Amino acid sequence: MTDSRTPLVAGNWKMNGAVASVSELRAMMDGLSGDRACDVLVCPPYPLIPAFAGAAQGSAMRIGAQDCHFNTGGAHTGDVSPVLLAEIGCSAVIVGHSERRADHGESDAMVKSKAEAVLANGMTAIICVGETEAERDAGKADAVVLGQIAGSMPSMADASNTVIAYEPVWAIGTGRVPEISDIAAMHAAIRSEVGQGMRILYGGSVKPSNAAEIFALEDVDGGLIGGASLKATDFLGIVNAT
Ligand code: PGA
């Protein structure tokens, strides 16, 4: 992906989609205008990656994965190697999504190992961070998020290979978004940690109707989109808001 703060709109399909969903991907690609001002990525479930990567070949659409193991291979039942993900056409891997951190007990150290494996295999690491509602209410949002960044970023991470996604846990899939000033403040705090060149995405209930206001913020370089990335019309509406 682009080695700059070109905005990135990344779709995280989570555990959604079916074999027939490649038609939705094609509708998205058909709707991408040539003068687009952003990079566009879709991360479907693992079994759909080969078909999606095949369909996207030669287009501006990039395909990624939602997770990977930190080892390259071996006795890890049910896990997927980053080597294989690169081989089947992934250009990026999401690591440390809050659903992985919560459902699979992934620690910052584990997320860091995964990000290292992603980078070692030539893909972009999209490292997710974000506070829970209780942590925000307790005034700990900045400390939690900056702590996750400190613990999850590999030393080899730089603006050319790594993207941060700030996703307040309480905004994911809920239709609730932080005050625009709170998004701006958190992104500025993250910016001061990661430097001027690295892309910082906002994620959590981004829709075509709120994307433009969020993406207009100085330190927001696009979005990580869940529910609204499943339908071409919604996703293109968000892409066009960059
Ligand atoms: P959402 O999910 O857009 O459905 O809130 C975002 C995410 O979890 O990446």
Side-chain angles (χ1 to χ4, degrees):
M1 262 176 288
T2 319
D3 174 13
S4 75
R5 276 176 61 187
T6 303
L8 168 64
V9 176
N12 172 12
W13 279 31
K14 308 192 181 187
M15 204 169 71
N16 298 296
V19 171
S21 305
V22 72
S23 64
E24 203 65 38
L25 181 81
R26 287 188 206 280
M28 291 176 184
M29 294 190 302
D30 288 347
L32 290 180
S33 62
D35 56 358
R36 229 174 352 92
C38 68
D39 293 332
V40 184
L41 173 78
V42 167
C43 301
Y46 292 129
L48 299 183
I49 292 172
F52 276 40
Q57 220 159 33
S59 89
M61 176 70 78
R62 297 281 171 265
I63 303 301
Q66 301 169 17
D67 182 43
C68 68
H69 198 273
F70 46 81
N71 277 322
T72 54
H76 304 287
T77 302
D79 283 313
V80 176
S81 162
V83 178
L84 182 57
L85 292 177
E87 190 183 350
I88 64 176
C90 288
S91 58
V93 182
I94 299 167
V95 294
H97 190 281
S98 64
E99 287 151 17
R100 301 288 320 170
R101 291 178 185 262
D103 298 352
H104 300 270
E106 293 191 6
S107 63
D108 286 337
M110 205 180 292
V111 174
K112 181 178 182 176
S113 299
K114 291 183 176 206
E116 282 166 354
V118 171
L119 301 184
N121 285 283
M123 297 176 286
T124 298
I126 301 176
I127 302 176
C128 301
V129 296
E131 82 285 358
T132 63
E133 185 157 36
E135 287 163 345
R136 174 156 288 270
D137 290 346
K140 295 181 183 155
D142 283 32
V144 167
V145 168
L146 298 183
Q148 287 174 332
I149 289 175
S152 309
M153 282 246 291
S155 56
M156 69 236 245
D158 64 32
S160 73
N161 60 24
T162 299
V163 174
I164 300 294
Y166 167 59
E167 301 199 297
V169 176
W170 51 274
I172 294 176
T174 59
R176 297 167 58 204
V177 288
E179 296 294 333
I180 201 82
S181 58
D182 287 338
I183 298 176
M186 182 62 83
H187 278 247
I190 296 170
R191 172 72 58 216
S192 66
E193 289 300 308
V194 303
Q196 280 305 315
M198 191 173 287
R199 289 186 282 191
I200 308 172
L201 312 184
Y202 168 79
S205 297
V206 178
K207 302 181 284 275
S209 57
N210 62 18
E213 185 185 19
I214 296 169
F215 294 169
L217 294 170
E218 188 182 333
D219 289 308
V220 175
D221 305 306
L224 183 55
I225 320 300
S229 72
L230 295 169
K231 286 262 163 292
T233 44
D234 291 342
F235 195 54
L236 290 169
I238 293 169
V239 168
N240 291 332
T242 55

